[in-house]
Amino acid sequence: MIGVSDSAAAGAPEPSSPQVRRRTMASGSPIAEWSFPADPGAVRTARTKVRETLDDWGLNGAVDVAVLLVSELVTNSLRHATGPIGVRMVLLSSGALLVEVSDPLPDPPRERTATPDDEGGRGLQLVACSSKRWGTRRGKTGKTVWFELSVAG
């Protein structure tokens, strides 16, 4: 388990537009957090926010993979949960980018083995293969799926 708190986004309902909070931890690590309503536009908006933030942080090399994995996890949340979806990114001092996607459903996602004809079931495999490490944890009102990407030169 990583020593970060669950995203607040898995709690109370949010308005229809994403709420953005950017801050810096006492250690100087930048953090960006968003809460999205559970509607199909959340996937596109999450991709845009992640891309813009990583560009702002000068992490252009991590943008494509981070955007792809966030898109997969937010889509999973939309398919299985009702309620707000939180996305949180933290640039860790270890040279890694921590990305968390939270929703109010307490059940952890299950990795499946998709057959060539399956239209879905590859999202968590993609996260597992593309990230440095990943996992899930339960929160007070839901779960968080997280992954780390190496971003150090």
Side-chain angles (χ1 to χ4, degrees):
M1 179 190 293
I2 293 179
V4 295
S5 63
D6 287 296
S7 173
E14 298 292 334
S16 60
S17 62
Q19 288 191 347
V20 180
R21 292 182 295 178
R22 284 194 187 176
R23 58 190 163 95
T24 302
M25 293 174 38
S27 66
S29 298
I31 298 174
E33 298 177 282
W34 304 273
S35 180
F36 303 99
D39 67 53
V43 178
R44 179 179 58 247
T45 306
R47 284 193 304 256
T48 299
K49 295 296 183 187
V50 167
R51 182 176 302 282
E52 290 172 352
T53 300
L54 293 178
D55 284 343
D56 288 349
W57 291 353
L59 301 176
N60 301 357
V63 169
D64 290 337
V65 173
V67 166
L68 174 65
L69 300 183
V70 165
S71 181
E72 289 292 333
L73 294 178
V74 170
T75 299
N76 283 351
S77 289
L78 282 173
R79 283 192 179 137
H80 303 289
T82 59
I85 299 165
V87 177
R88 182 174 186 258
M89 296 192 310
V90 181
L91 186 57
L92 302 173
S93 60
S94 64
L97 175 69
L98 171 66
V99 181
E100 302 172 313
V101 176
S102 301
D103 65 50
L105 186 68
D107 302 327
R110 287 176 289 169
E111 214 174 332
R112 298 185 333 178
T113 303
T115 67
D117 294 334
D118 288 341
E119 291 185 20
R122 293 174 184 84
L124 288 178
Q125 290 177 351
L126 192 57
V127 171
C129 291
S130 302
S131 63
K132 180 178 170 181
R133 61 188 193 143
W134 75 282
T136 63
R137 69 177 179 278
R138 284 192 168 180
K140 294 176 188 167
T141 59
K143 70 167 170 317
T144 298
V145 180
W146 59 267
F147 63 87
E148 284 185 17
L149 297 175
S150 295
V151 295

